[in-house]
Amino acid sequence: TRLRRPCHSQLGHETPAVALVRASLTNGKPLRWNRVNDLPDFVFFNHSIHVNKGVGCSTCHGEIDKMPLTWRAQTLYMKWCLECHRAPQNYVRPPDQIYNLHWQPPPDQAKQGARLIQQYQIETTGRLTNCSVCHR
């Protein structure tokens, strides 16, 4: 089963920045966000497919619970993304570890990852590196 845990119900829920989020929800005025990761318009990215296929939050975002302000933990360059798309067994986690910001791959990650690829039904025939998967 997929876990749902809104980040700010657990992390930093008493900080002034999150108070702004709550105020926005209460008064209906939208927040003005400063993007940390801003992909080009020609890149398609969907969080849910990554989370549902075993990619943990901290893989891309880092240990945000240790960041007083959120910063970019990874480049998100195409080369970086392709490393995972070419060898997802090195990155996927068990479902109960998706939201664990401090998860570390086990010594037998290749073996565990291969099992998780089957569990998540991740296609490994090269489709993940087809340009049209991300560029639409």
Side-chain angles (χ1 to χ4, degrees):
T1 62
R2 195 174 127 207
L3 299 175
R4 289 190 147 251
R5 185 180 310 165
C7 294
H8 295 296
S9 69
Q10 305 292 317
L11 305 170
H13 61 280
E14 296 177 3
T15 65
V18 176
L20 293 173
V21 175
R22 282 195 304 272
S24 171
L25 182 63
T26 302
N27 65 28
K29 286 177 81 174
L31 290 171
R32 182 169 173 248
W33 292 101
N34 293 322
R35 285 191 170 272
V36 173
N37 293 305
D38 191 13
L39 297 175
D41 290 342
F42 58 83
V43 176
F44 174 79
F45 178 83
N46 183 317
H47 272 101
S48 66
I49 190 69
H50 289 84
V51 170
N52 289 329
K53 295 292 184 175
V55 179
C57 302
S58 61
T59 301
C60 305
H61 297 287
E63 295 178 327
I64 60 171
D65 62 328
K66 294 181 179 177
M67 298 178 189
L69 288 176
T70 306
W71 60 77
R72 184 180 299 167
Q74 300 294 340
T75 65
L76 303 186
Y77 291 159
M78 188 169 94
K79 177 184 174 184
W80 182 81
C81 296
L82 281 171
E83 285 178 24
C84 187
H85 278 223
R86 288 184 177 130
Q89 69 276 6
N90 296 330
Y91 301 94
V92 292
R93 311 174 180 197
D96 64 343
Q97 296 300 312
I98 300 296
Y99 299 105
N100 180 352
L101 297 176
H102 308 289
W103 181 83
Q104 293 295 315
D108 64 343
Q109 175 62 27
K111 179 181 174 187
Q112 295 295 322
R115 183 184 58 75
L116 289 167
I117 282 176
Q118 291 180 344
Q119 179 181 334
Y120 292 126
Q121 300 177 0
I122 297 173
E123 192 173 325
T124 58
T125 60
R127 183 181 176 281
L128 289 178
T129 56
N130 183 308
C131 300
S132 66
V133 169
C134 303
H135 297 280
R136 299 181 182 181

